[in-house]
């Protein structure tokens, strides 16, 4: 578990199903995600089962909790990949920045990796700004990386190198 000034980051559990379904069912949240909104709780349950089962030795997966309520998730399926998703009520308040700063510190402190990677839909200006504030730098663009309901989207890739120690 990680405590920040306002947030708690803890392992994702199956008890988070309702909170994550409330996030992942929303079209505004999933606009730039790699899957469409979750149409039902069973879809979120399948996603969450996979997320919970990931090996903490090779992943970092944290539910982001504010005042006892899950407001999002930071982490990724396999290091060095990381990402984030938040409930719209949490947007624009600095929670993603705060949670990602904690995740970055944790990942470099507990895993033998020389960098982190994130990919975003190039149309997602808010995510691009977040990654740049966190020190990630643009590495490349790829066309037609995922198809949702017959529409292709591209990806921009960003990298954050492990900080140099004196």
């Amino acid at each position: 578990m990680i405590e920040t000034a306002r947030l708690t980051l803890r392992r994702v559990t199956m008890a988070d199903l309702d909170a994550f379904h409330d996030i992942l069912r929303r079209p505004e949240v999933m606009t730039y995600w790699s899957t469409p909104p979750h149409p039902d709780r069973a879809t979120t349950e399948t996603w969450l089962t996979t997320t919970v089962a990931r090996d903490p030795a090779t992943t970092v997966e944290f539910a982001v909790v504010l005042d006892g309520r899950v407001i999002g998730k930071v982490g990724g399926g396999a290091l060095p990949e990381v990402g984030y998703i938040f409930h719209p009520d949490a947007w624009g308040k600095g929670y993603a920045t705060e949670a990602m700063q904690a995740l970055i510190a944790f990942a470099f402190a507990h895993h033998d990796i020389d960098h982190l990677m994130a990919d975003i839909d190039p149309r997602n200006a808010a995510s691009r700004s977040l990654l740049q504030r966190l020190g990630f730098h643009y590495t490349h663009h790829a066309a037609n990386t995922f198809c949702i309901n017959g529409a292709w989207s591209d990806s921009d890739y960003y990298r954050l190198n492990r900080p140099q120690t004196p």
Side-chain angles (χ1 to χ4, degrees):
M1 183 165 28
I2 301 168
E3 298 285 335
T4 71
R6 301 178 292 171
L7 306 170
T8 299
L9 280 63
R10 60 156 173 78
R11 296 267 311 149
V12 176
T13 71
M14 291 307 294
D16 300 326
L17 177 58
D18 289 335
F20 280 120
H21 181 62
D22 186 40
I23 295 168
L24 299 171
R25 70 178 177 80
R26 297 171 177 274
E28 68 271 29
V29 171
M30 304 301 276
T31 298
Y32 302 119
W33 201 251
S34 57
T35 63
H38 290 192
D40 52 44
R41 204 168 174 272
T43 302
T44 305
E45 186 171 15
T46 299
W47 171 86
L48 187 59
T49 299
T50 300
T51 301
V52 168
R54 290 184 177 140
D55 182 358
T58 59
T59 64
V60 285
E61 292 280 2
F62 292 108
V64 180
V65 181
L66 173 69
D67 298 329
R69 175 181 167 232
V70 172
I71 61 167
K73 183 183 86 67
V74 294
L79 287 169
E81 294 179 24
V82 294
Y84 40 86
I85 194 161
F86 283 83
H87 192 284
D89 292 350
W91 293 356
K93 298 176 180 164
Y95 300 134
T97 301
E98 189 174 327
M100 283 296 292
Q101 287 170 332
L103 172 86
I104 290 165
F106 179 90
F108 285 134
H110 293 91
H111 295 276
D112 186 23
I113 53 174
D114 68 352
H115 71 281
L116 295 172
M117 291 292 298
D119 70 275
I120 63 165
D121 186 307
R123 300 169 295 175
N124 191 340
S127 276
R128 179 175 41 258
S129 177
L130 171 62
L131 290 174
Q132 290 170 338
R133 276 194 313 277
L134 293 167
F136 282 76
H137 65 273
Y138 174 83
T139 61
H140 66 284
H141 175 86
N144 299 330
T145 52
F146 55 92
C147 184
I148 299 173
N149 299 326
W152 282 98
S153 294
D154 297 348
S155 291
D156 281 348
Y157 294 85
Y158 289 80
R159 178 183 174 119
L160 178 69
N161 292 327
R162 175 185 282 279
Q164 298 300 315
T165 54

